[in-house]
Amino acid sequence: MAGRLFIETVGCQMNVLDSEMVVASLRKVGYELVAEARDADAILFNTCSVREHAEDKTYSALGKLKRLKLEHPEKIIGVMGCMAQKDQQLIFDRAPHVDFVVGPGQLQRIAALIDEARKGAEQQLAVSLGRRDGTREAIERSHETFDPLRDPEMRPTPFQAYLRIQIGCDKFCTYCVVPMTRGPEQCRTPAEIYEEARVLADQGCLEVTLLGQTVNSYEHRGAGATTRLADLLVKLQDIEAIRRWKFVTNYPRDMSSELLAAVRDLPKVSHYLHVPAQSGSNSVLRRMKRGYTVEQYREMHARIREMVPDAAVSSDFIVGFCGETDEEFHETVELVRECRFKNSFIFKYSVRPGTKACELLPDDVPHDIKQRRNHELLSIQDAISEEDNAGFIGRTVEVLVEGLSKRGMRTAGTQAGPAQLTGRTPCDRIVVFDGDVALTGQVMPVKIHDVTAHTLIGELPAAANRDQLLPLYAGD
Ligand code: SAH
Ligand code: SF4
Ligand code: F3S
């Protein structure tokens, strides 16, 4: 059944990739994308459950569609993603005008679900088994990857792509819903991953980011050989067209020296490591059940600095986790000062039903203290980022041009001459500079003359000098 499709995506890279796959699968059966929900025959929300705020926003967006559905009952509304798996029937209770709910492990059913709904089916629920609802094998089978289709048109930038190498998570940090919503950790075969990377290369992809919740825990046991992330990276290097490889998110305990050696030695692998610490306090890490001590994190960080001295390391932190005292928070501040991360994502703890922390630990840090700690940590991190970025002034970096910057988009068409463009360095630093939008998708040298905490600001060398492109280099 052909029709018009609207999709809204929130959450992490996994969701962005799932949406790309869903759009590709629906295009195959005749759907075309539209930019407004009210113009669509099928409206999809790809949702995230990692914090309550993300869910609240989705429920409020769903609420806003109630009237549209009343006036146009033939329009189909579907909820997919992590909230679908977590809330299941609750979504129909809170938003009775939703036609179907489909978890991230059941996306191969989406075209059929829309079809059935358009034919007048009752509310349909397509979710995977819960973590205690069967044998490991049965649970694994109910969480299927949905990666066979690639749709370059769906990517915001066709020359960049995500490639999933692992689904699910088995770490069970006490605050986190992901092991419930995404199911058991499962690694795709090296052959599948390699094939998909070749398809991406054929589609003109220059930069591929390998995805996994704990991507460096990747391990595939085949006949006679075990493949880990370092081996996979080596294997992927012979795909010539792809000139940058990144991978996220890393788990501190699995940052092996073999992997760091691969990052150091393979010229196309970016010197960028996102490896969340979550806290700098051993007692908090223990309550979070993160599986390492702050000493082990420091040891890992020192090893990165030693083996890949120019690596950009970034982190995530949760502030105001259950029972976090001022002293514990200050241990996190210490770690941030010491490690000088390229950047940190800082989140206020949000209780998630179904997690161990929700069951066993009171959410006892008042909201205003969470807020204060969030601001304090962020301002310390930002000062560090700005100081370290200042070291780039006067240097030339290699930038993969992604298109108009936010400012470039605002001023598009209103001013003559070049627009402001944005792109990233191999180490994932954001660079803005003026240039012709036709440079999008190219790798250019940019000379930096100013910085903020989050951005390097530079200019293209004169056209005559551009041919002397930088040698391929994985650091900044
Ligand atoms: N798999 C990744 C991260 C997944 S979620 C990893 O292990 O690093 C992304 C980030 O959201 C986490 O790193 C954590 O900092 C944050 N997060 C997860 N659950 C949260 C919660 N309940 N409240 C606040 N932040 C949370
Ligand atoms: Fe969540 Fe921890 Fe798994 Fe990351 S490692 S997805 S934080 S349970
Ligand atoms: Fe959110 Fe699910 Fe990703 S909970 S962060 S969309 S894995």
Side-chain angles (χ1 to χ4, degrees):
M1 214 186 271
R4 286 158 300 174
L5 169 72
F6 171 82
I7 187 165
E8 186 173 297
T9 307
V10 296
C12 65
Q13 294 100 330
M14 286 287 175
N15 267 11
V16 173
L17 183 52
D18 283 341
S19 287
E20 183 187 330
M21 300 298 174
V22 163
V23 171
S25 73
L26 293 175
R27 273 218 173 107
K28 279 219 154 130
V29 295
Y31 279 88
E32 54 159 332
L33 263 188
V34 293
E36 299 287 339
R38 62 171 180 275
D39 298 331
D41 304 300
I43 301 165
L44 296 177
F45 286 90
N46 194 2
T47 61
C48 172
S49 282
V50 83
R51 284 168 289 277
E52 193 179 3
H53 183 62
E55 296 188 337
D56 289 346
K57 282 207 330 221
T58 299
Y59 277 116
S60 126
L62 282 172
K64 288 195 186 123
L65 290 182
K66 206 170 188 162
R67 218 171 131 175
L68 184 72
K69 179 76 179 174
L70 259 176
E71 288 164 4
H72 295 280
E74 75 286 359
K75 288 189 190 291
I76 302 306
I77 302 176
V79 175
M80 51 187 270
C82 287
M83 199 181 91
Q85 180 64 31
K86 173 176 158 287
D87 283 1
Q88 304 195 2
Q89 178 63 38
L90 184 66
I91 296 175
F92 295 132
D93 299 343
R94 287 182 67 173
H97 52 295
V98 167
D99 293 285
F100 67 86
V101 166
V102 55
Q106 295 284 314
L107 293 177
Q108 73 283 0
R109 290 168 66 183
I110 205 150
L113 290 166
I114 297 178
D115 249 13
E116 289 302 310
R118 290 183 74 180
K119 284 186 208 144
E122 299 284 294
Q123 287 179 322
Q124 306 168 81
L125 181 65
V127 290
S128 304
L129 292 175
R131 294 292 305 238
R132 294 197 190 109
D133 294 345
T135 61
R136 169 130 191 148
E137 209 197 346
I139 299 169
E140 281 184 359
R141 249 186 291 115
S142 79
H143 285 272
E144 265 187 72
T145 55
F146 188 52
D147 291 306
L149 303 143
R150 303 297 320 204
D151 188 351
E153 280 174 63
M154 181 52 195
R155 291 201 288 277
T157 48
F159 42 85
Q160 290 173 306
Y162 294 128
L163 202 179
R164 188 166 5 227
I165 66 168
Q166 177 198 52
I167 63 169
C169 180
D170 284 341
K171 301 290 194 278
F172 285 99
C173 304
T174 55
Y175 51 80
C176 183
V177 286
V178 174
M180 270 70 82
T181 62
R182 296 270 166 178
E185 180 183 310
Q186 302 183 69
C187 293
R188 297 180 71 206
T189 69
E192 262 177 330
I193 295 165
Y194 188 84
E195 262 324 293
E196 205 174 314
R198 293 196 40 139
V199 171
L200 290 170
D202 289 345
Q203 290 175 354
C205 222
L206 296 176
E207 180 184 276
V208 174
T209 304
L210 305 176
L211 292 188
Q213 291 300 342
T214 54
V215 72
N216 58 338
S217 320
Y218 175 90
E219 187 178 284
H220 185 269
R221 283 170 210 266
T226 298
T227 309
R228 298 202 169 76
L229 180 57
D231 312 310
L232 198 58
L233 285 169
V234 170
K235 223 189 251 276
L236 290 167
Q237 297 312 297
D238 62 347
I239 304 180
E240 249 170 58
I242 298 173
R243 61 177 284 161
R244 277 187 188 176
W245 293 94
K246 297 181 177 174
F247 52 89
V248 288
T249 297
N250 292 284
Y251 184 62
R253 219 176 52 194
D254 291 329
M255 192 63 87
S256 67
S257 296
E258 290 73 32
L259 178 59
L260 293 177
V263 172
R264 179 193 61 203
D265 299 337
L266 301 171
K268 297 199 287 187
V269 176
S270 289
H271 292 188
Y272 163 60
L273 297 165
H274 182 61
V275 44
Q278 309 297 359
S279 168
S281 151
N282 277 331
S283 36
V284 174
L285 288 171
R286 221 168 17 247
R287 292 200 291 279
M288 290 178 166
K289 215 166 140 283
R290 279 291 283 180
Y292 52 84
T293 61
V294 69
E295 290 76 21
Q296 285 168 320
Y297 191 91
R298 287 197 163 97
E299 179 280 323
M300 175 216 67
H301 190 262
R303 209 152 28 85
I304 296 176
R305 289 282 178 247
E306 191 192 312
M307 293 185 68
V308 195
D310 64 353
V313 182
S314 59
S315 180
D316 294 350
F317 289 96
I318 297 177
V319 293
F321 185 62
C322 311
E324 186 186 65
T325 62
D326 269 337
E327 291 72 39
E328 287 169 334
F329 171 66
H330 280 107
E331 292 178 278
T332 299
V333 169
E334 267 316 294
L335 187 71
V336 168
R337 286 194 203 282
E338 210 181 292
C339 291
R340 299 191 74 85
F341 298 107
K342 173 182 80 97
N343 65 292
S344 293
F345 298 98
I346 300 162
F347 305 106
K348 297 188 282 283
Y349 172 58
S350 164
V351 193
R352 306 292 48 225
T355 60
K356 272 276 172 299
C358 174
E359 219 175 283
L360 302 173
L361 303 167
D363 175 22
D364 51 3
V365 177
H367 186 262
D368 58 328
I369 294 188
K370 286 182 183 169
Q371 189 79 18
R372 206 162 64 219
R373 289 180 185 166
N374 192 336
H375 281 150
E376 186 178 336
L377 200 56
L378 197 60
S379 64
I380 292 165
Q381 173 62 61
D382 279 355
I384 291 170
S385 301
E386 191 167 347
E387 266 171 43
D388 286 355
N389 279 349
F392 282 88
I393 294 177
R395 286 176 53 192
T396 299
V397 294
E398 184 198 275
V399 177
L400 173 56
V401 185
E402 294 178 2
L404 290 172
S405 69
K406 278 193 192 129
R407 193 172 89 191
M409 280 182 212
R410 273 200 310 274
T411 55
T414 62
Q415 64 177 43
Q420 193 185 58
L421 304 178
T422 182
R424 278 176 200 258
T425 68
C427 289
D428 210 50
R429 292 188 168 86
I430 298 168
V431 183
V432 298
F433 55 97
D434 286 347
D436 187 335
V437 73
L439 293 174
T440 303
Q442 294 191 39
V443 178
M444 301 298 297
V446 175
K447 188 165 181 197
I448 305 306
H449 59 71
D450 198 5
V451 299
T452 69
H454 305 284
T455 316
L456 308 181
I457 303 154
E459 61 212 38
L460 290 167
N465 299 330
R466 278 187 211 161
D467 290 340
Q468 311 156 11
L469 240 186
L470 304 164
L472 187 58
Y473 182 48
D476 285 348

